[in-house]
Amino acid sequence: GGALQHLFERVPASQRVFAVSLGIMGLVCLKNLLVYATEMLRSWTRTLLVHSLRARLADHLLDARIDCIESTDSGKLLNALQNQTQETGAAFSSHAGLLVCACTSAVFALLLFLVSWKLTLGVGCALLAISLLVRLAWRHVEAGSKSFVRA
């Protein structure tokens, strides 16, 4: 709490709520701009990756011996050219999204710590408890589905 209090101590008490609200609104706008920029970067990167994979795969197909291509089902070749490259691009895009979410969580955890270390500890304990409950529930559902499949 001391860091945020120090940040707004020069603002008069009558204007402090407005200043904090304005700061929050500015940070939310900044966050949304960063999310937009990140999504644009992810989309551009994914497009470049998929294009590169398809171009290299097409080069390999064009360089392959004709008897190898004739012995392979053309549907498999087209599937590899279209779907497999798309799925690989989606996997890399998901990895980048995971990285962005991890960075976002770290920033919000730091902000929560700046507000109060006790609150951060409480939220951490609550997240741990929720995670354990979800894991326990998932095991219960998984066991039920396995017994249903066996029946």
Side-chain angles (χ1 to χ4, degrees), residues 76-99:
K76 288 182 181 180
L77 295 175
L78 289 175
N79 183 41
L81 193 58
Q82 173 63 33
N83 295 340
Q84 298 300 320
T85 55
Q86 192 72 23
E87 289 176 10
T88 303
F92 277 102
S93 181
S94 295
H95 179 69
L98 180 65
L99 184 63

Side-chain angles (χ1 to χ4, degrees), residues 72-148:
T72 305
D73 184 22
S74 63
K76 288 182 181 180
L77 295 175
L78 289 175
N79 183 41
L81 193 58
Q82 173 63 33
N83 295 340
Q84 298 300 320
T85 55
Q86 192 72 23
E87 289 176 10
T88 303
F92 277 102
S93 181
S94 295
H95 179 69
L98 180 65
L99 184 63
V100 168
C101 287
C103 290
T104 302
S105 296
V107 167
F108 282 129
L110 179 64
L111 288 175
L112 184 61
F113 184 76
L114 288 175
V115 171
S116 169
W117 69 269
K118 293 176 186 176
L119 184 61
T120 305
L121 187 61
V123 168
C125 290
L127 285 174
L128 182 64
I130 290 169
S131 175
L132 292 174
L133 286 173
V134 167
R135 183 174 289 176
L136 183 66
W138 182 255
R139 286 183 182 161
H140 181 69
V141 168
E142 196 174 54
S145 67
K146 284 181 182 178
S147 66
F148 181 76

Side-chain angles (χ1 to χ4, degrees), residues 26-36 104 108:
L27 288 173
V28 167
C29 288
L30 179 64
K31 178 214 171 253
N32 287 333
L33 284 173
L34 288 173
V35 166
Y36 178 74
T104 302
F108 282 129

Side-chain angles (χ1 to χ4, degrees), residues 38-94:
T38 302
E39 287 300 316
M40 291 293 291
L41 182 64
R42 279 179 56 196
S43 177
W44 179 70
T45 305
R46 179 179 176 181
T47 302
L48 286 178
L49 176 69
V50 170
H51 173 71
S52 173
L53 286 172
R54 286 182 181 162
R56 286 188 283 158
L57 187 58
D59 283 344
H60 283 294
L61 287 175
L62 291 174
D63 290 340
R65 294 189 335 255
I66 191 70
D67 60 330
C68 179
I69 291 179
E70 286 180 348
S71 66
T72 305
D73 184 22
S74 63
K76 288 182 181 180
L77 295 175
L78 289 175
N79 183 41
L81 193 58
Q82 173 63 33
N83 295 340
Q84 298 300 320
T85 55
Q86 192 72 23
E87 289 176 10
T88 303
F92 277 102
S93 181
S94 295

